[in-house]
Amino acid sequence: MDKLPTTVLDAIEQARSRAADPLAVFVYDLDALARHVREVMAELPAGVELYYAIKANSEAPILQTLLPLVDGFEISSGGEIERLQAAASDKPFVFSGPGKLDSDLRAALNHGVAAIHVESLGEIDRLQRIGAELGRVQAVFIRINPELPATLSSRLAMAGTATPFGLDEADVPEAIRRVEACSHLRLEGFHVHAMSHQQQVERHEQLLDLYLQRWTQWKALATRPGTITHLNVGGGIGVDYLSRERFDWARLCRHLEQRLGELRDAPLVRFEPGRFISAFCGYYAIEVLDAKSSHGQHFLVCRGGTHQFRLPVAQGHDHPVIHLPATGRAPSGAPRPWTIVGQLCTPKDVLSRGRQLVDAAVGDLLVLPLAGAYGYNISHADFLCHPRPEQLFIRAEGRRGGAG
Ligand SMILES: *Cc1c(COP(=O)(O)O)cnc(C)c1O
């Protein structure tokens, strides 16, 4: 489980030989990304699409790798539209998220957005005005924050509780009435992105069951239910950073297939995961700068830190670590527990605690896997004015493209 692909290992070693200072680098295995996504797409039942939520990782080589494989993209800002344009995407995209600017909405319409997920009554009115201004009739999905049984809520719940996302079910009749009254809007579907980081397939099955049950009820609120064709069930498929067991995507797809087969008015279903798509392909490699003990605890102080890889603190977990001893040294002796920290002058700069490593020493490399989603891009890279880490994107035969 803790074996690095040789291509990743080679890229790290080459980066180190080029670097004047000790290393901190992100490496993304684009072949592994493509393989994983092909498998994910192959499981989708008929009538089910998958859009990639690019906020998980919108670096150009990631988008270019995904472009031929996924059905489309989900974006949440004007800046993300620019990212898609820069990747020369001709795939459909949809736009969700709170606090959309008028300029973002205009850019989305001008680039032919497939659907806008409206998050409030006010946004419906604004979009109507912009549609009229641009002379367009825009397809919209109403984003719903449904009532959820307590058993289905999670730590990162984005629905079933008070959130700034979407409309409460009590407001859905009014939202439908408003969209129907808007000459420049066309209601095409409903959208629910209820949680992030769902690790249990059973619970996600129950969530989909619940959405499909409500689908019929929500649709029935419309004057012409027949024109409402789509149900976007969001993302939120989790990654187990600790056990590293993969979410049983195939099982979820078979379950959905069966449920859709049972429905008389089955919607076209759209998934929009981010994390589950790009997490596995990324690695963060850092070099040990110092090894010390303090009040009975052992610390490895490394190049980089949580300002480059905020994920472990954001998730509140101790990230797995692969230890690469400096060349020429065969580690021996008993393992001892280490706290892996970065270069920041704050006690919060902790990447992992209690890592059992054998003979860890200055100059060794530590590699943090599962760093391809919500890793570098959610981090506060300018804190303390350290230089930003290099990001390397590797493809077959060691051909490498650098960026950022
Ligand atoms: C963030 C987000 C996603 C992707 O979530 P993951 O947990 O990364 O799968 C999908 N849809 C919306 C609306 C989002 O905000």
Side-chain angles (χ1 to χ4, degrees), residues 53 55-56 74 76 96 143 158 191 193 195-197 234-237 272-276 374:
K55 78 170 188 283
E74 187 264 347
S76 296
S96 355
R143 180 167 180 179
M158 303 176 83
H191 172 239
H193 172 65
M195 69 189 53
S196 187
H197 219 35
I237 310 300
E272 49 175 23
R275 188 188 307 273
F276 186 63
Y374 306 113

Side-chain angles (χ1 to χ4, degrees), residues 200-353:
Q200 289 163 278
V201 65
E202 299 81 5
R203 283 170 57 149
H204 217 75
E205 286 172 359
Q206 289 163 25
L207 207 58
L208 294 183
D209 289 351
L210 188 130
Y211 298 166
L212 288 172
Q213 222 174 48
R214 302 281 172 89
W215 156 255
T216 310
Q217 300 163 11
W218 293 334
K219 235 174 75 155
L221 298 167
T223 312
R224 291 181 311 279
T227 65
I228 305 176
T229 46
H230 285 69
L231 178 63
N232 185 318
V233 295
I237 310 300
V239 169
D240 190 336
Y241 292 97
L242 304 182
S243 88
R244 298 173 64 182
E245 205 164 283
R246 291 226 182 160
F247 183 94
D248 195 345
W249 173 251
R251 173 174 154 174
L252 185 73
C253 286
R254 297 291 72 77
H255 179 87
L256 179 61
E257 182 170 43
Q258 189 180 345
R259 284 288 173 280
L260 290 174
E262 291 160 8
L263 281 183
R264 256 188 311 110
D265 63 341
L268 292 166
V269 172
R270 190 175 286 160
F271 282 107
E272 49 175 23
R275 188 188 307 273
F276 186 63
I277 298 300
S278 60
F280 304 105
C281 74
Y283 300 85
Y284 181 46
I286 52 179
E287 187 165 334
V288 178
L289 302 175
D290 207 352
K292 56 193 285 192
S293 297
S294 166
H295 292 253
Q297 246 189 73
H298 308 298
F299 290 87
L300 292 175
V301 181
C302 300
R303 186 78 200 274
T306 54
H307 56 309
Q308 298 179 351
F309 188 51
R310 200 172 76 85
L311 176 82
V313 261
Q315 293 287 334
H317 72 221
D318 293 303
H319 209 82
V321 169
I322 300 164
H323 178 203
L324 301 179
T327 33
R329 195 164 51 81
S332 61
R336 66 151 73 155
W338 293 95
T339 301
I340 316 295
V341 303
Q343 297 174 280
L344 301 183
C345 305
T346 156
K348 293 186 179 171
D349 188 21
V350 177
L351 295 164
S352 201
R353 292 162 302 177

Side-chain angles (χ1 to χ4, degrees), residues 39 52 58 83 113 137 164 172 248 272 281 314 316 322 332 358 383:
E39 284 169 20
Y52 171 60
S58 59
R83 289 263 169 144
V113 64
V137 177
V172 171
D248 195 345
E272 49 175 23
C281 74
I322 300 164
S332 61
V358 176
F383 187 40

Side-chain angles (χ1 to χ4, degrees), residues 9-21 23 25 27 390 392 400:
L9 207 52
D10 289 349
I12 292 171
E13 268 157 22
Q14 284 170 30
R16 183 188 218 173
S17 63
R18 284 195 309 270
D21 282 316
L23 193 67
V25 68
V27 178
E390 209 181 343
L392 303 174
R400 202 170 56 243

Side-chain angles (χ1 to χ4, degrees), residues 113-117 127 137-141 184-188:
V113 64
I116 302 275
H117 298 162
L127 190 57
V137 177
Q138 179 57 49
V140 303
F141 285 31
H184 290 267
L185 305 183
R186 181 167 46 80
L187 183 57
E188 192 172 272

Side-chain angles (χ1 to χ4, degrees), residues 74-101:
E74 187 264 347
I75 60 108
S76 296
S77 73
E80 289 191 342
I81 298 173
E82 286 170 21
R83 289 263 169 144
L84 278 188
Q85 296 310 311
S89 171
D90 54 354
K91 288 279 165 92
F93 73 99
V94 296
F95 186 6
S96 355
K100 297 180 190 78
L101 300 176

